[in-house]
Amino acid sequence: EETDPVRASLAEPLACSLRATRRAMQRHAFANVVIFGAGGIGILCAKSARLLGAERIIVLDTHDERLQMAAGVAADYTFNPLQCDIKAEIAAITGDKGVDVVIDAAGFQPTRTAAIAIVNPGGTVMNIGLGIDDTVIPVNVQIRSEIELLGSFC
């Protein structure tokens, strides 16, 4: 009865986001983390990544209002992938270190394709967004680069 209902409503999405982010970052200390999607789950993943020791947190979304929110509460960098070259923008931010962890909190073909394209060899892609079901994944790239693909639901 003493818990604020708004705060209580965040318990389940926070638990999902924390679990997914912790699993994604498990093998990557001080990782540069890219998050696709600046909705509730994406922002909570960004906040979780910060608590878990991420070096840089980059959030991408196609809605500028969401990006403003992410920049204010969790992200070091934000940008709209429809307005720039994702690979070039991320390379300018991360330099030679690149990106070890990508969290896809959107779950659409373009975000899933981009996740594989930007993560370092040996990196981890965590799929938590349920945008669409059928997706084409470049499996040969995933195999050759030894990219770990994970999913998280709860």
Side-chain angles (χ1 to χ4, degrees), residues 5-149:
V6 173
R7 181 177 233 159
S9 71
L10 292 173
E12 188 272 341
L14 176 59
C16 293
S17 300
L18 178 60
R19 180 175 186 268
T21 306
R22 187 181 62 227
R23 290 178 59 219
M25 294 180 65
Q26 189 170 12
R27 297 185 309 114
H28 308 284
F30 311 110
N32 287 326
V33 177
V34 169
I35 299 169
F36 285 99
I41 296 293
I43 288 175
L44 290 171
C45 285
K47 290 184 84 59
S48 296
R50 172 74 60 228
L51 291 171
L52 294 169
E55 183 172 335
R56 289 183 197 89
I57 300 168
I58 304 165
V59 177
L60 290 75
D61 200 293
T62 57
H63 299 281
D64 293 332
E65 307 82 34
R66 288 181 173 195
L67 291 173
Q68 290 173 359
M69 173 69 78
V73 298
D76 297 311
Y77 303 90
T78 62
F79 61 91
N80 185 328
L82 299 178
Q83 299 173 356
C84 64
D85 178 335
I86 295 173
K87 283 182 143 182
E89 193 76 25
I90 290 172
I93 294 167
T94 62
D96 291 339
K97 184 172 180 182
V99 175
D100 287 318
V101 174
V102 177
I103 299 172
D104 184 355
F108 294 98
Q109 183 65 59
T111 58
R112 291 175 179 163
T113 300
I116 296 290
I118 64 172
V119 73
N120 289 339
T124 299
V125 174
M126 170 58 73
N127 292 289
I128 188 172
L130 295 171
I132 62 170
D133 191 16
D134 293 334
T135 305
V136 175
I137 302 268
V139 174
N140 287 348
V141 173
Q142 183 259 328
I143 292 168
R144 289 184 184 118
S145 296
E146 298 185 358
I147 297 168
E148 180 179 37
L149 293 178

